[in-house]
Amino acid sequence: MSSSLPGAHASASPAASGPASASVLDLAPVLPVVVLDDAAVAVPLARALVAGGLPAIEVTLRTPAALDGLRAIAAEVPEAVVGAGTVVTPEQVGACVAAGARFLVSPGWTDSLLAAMVASGVPYLPGVSTASEVVALLERGVREMKFFPAQAAGGTAYLKSLAGPLPQARFCPTGGVNPDNAPEYLALSNVGCVGGSWMVPADAVAAGDWDRVEELAREAARLSAGGTCR
């Protein structure tokens, strides 16, 4: 991708090669984390999320159907900004971009994985859970990251502690985030959005209850600090 994501600001990184990365953190308060067991549900699921106000969708590489589902969303739901999550190898980076991923998310990072994400030319959120990992990424010019697993790694208290010495880092906390604690995360100065899957419950997806998914997405899209609308 060579242009900014819709609704996002461009933020060039000195470590990047190719087009400047654009922020995934500013598209909506919540980034849906989608696990696809059947690629056939990808398109109606994506349409329901977009209709509810959540245009950015992270399809995780946890199932064999993931790449086919991502490819279908990219081809048939142009108003969605679909990305790939649980990216853990350099080889997966190329496969995801070829399938149409417009951003990449990893639970953690290595030098080789980061190099592949940088070279991909699309925005990326490498995963961190410690201050040392954050500092290492900042040293490489990366300022936007996934904080994972958010609740287990210290939650809002940990992120608040990072904001003082490392104010240039921004995060998408994922892992244990839900409608009750999401506003607490969104209230933090160093949080751009949160990741979660509560708006895509397995029973609703299995039943094809896209109206329910859309309504849950709409409620999530209204979340902000204090639980008020943005």
Side-chain angles (χ1 to χ4, degrees):
M1 171 179 112
S2 60
S3 60
S4 298
L5 293 174
H9 67 271
S11 55
S13 161
S17 62
S21 296
S23 178
V24 180
L25 303 183
D26 300 321
L27 293 174
V30 179
L31 175 63
V33 179
V34 174
V35 180
L36 291 174
D37 292 315
D38 182 359
V41 306
V43 168
L45 176 59
R47 286 175 176 156
L49 291 171
V50 171
L54 300 180
I57 301 168
E58 176 188 335
V59 176
T60 70
L61 301 184
R62 301 180 191 177
T63 65
L67 276 180
D68 285 341
L70 192 158
R71 189 177 293 109
I73 295 171
E76 299 183 43
V77 193
E79 62 271 33
V81 181
V82 64
T86 321
V87 178
V88 295
T89 70
E91 293 75 21
Q92 286 177 327
V93 170
C96 291
V97 174
R102 296 177 63 185
F103 63 90
L104 305 166
V105 184
S106 68
W109 66 278
T110 64
D111 284 332
S112 60
L113 177 58
L114 183 65
M117 290 193 292
V118 170
S120 74
V122 302
Y124 51 90
L125 295 174
V128 297
S129 60
T130 69
S132 293
E133 291 170 324
V134 175
V135 171
L137 284 177
L138 291 174
E139 190 177 75
R140 291 161 172 78
V142 180
R143 293 179 172 81
E144 299 188 340
M145 312 164 195
K146 173 179 179 174
F147 180 57
F148 176 83
Q151 284 292 96
T156 55
Y158 193 89
L159 285 174
K160 187 180 293 185
S161 298
L162 290 180
L166 304 170
Q168 63 273 53
R170 296 180 74 218
F171 302 95
C172 173
T174 306
V177 180
N178 56 54
D180 296 325
N181 62 24
E184 300 172 20
Y185 281 100
L186 292 168
L188 300 177
S189 61
N190 56 353
V191 169
C193 69
V194 299
S197 57
W198 71 85
M199 73 297 300
V200 286
D203 60 338
V205 175
D209 190 350
W210 309 126
D211 288 340
R212 181 181 171 202
V213 171
E214 181 179 339
E215 180 55 33
L216 289 170
R218 187 171 290 109
E219 293 172 2
R222 289 195 291 261
L223 286 175
S224 66
T228 58
C229 297
R230 285 193 167 190

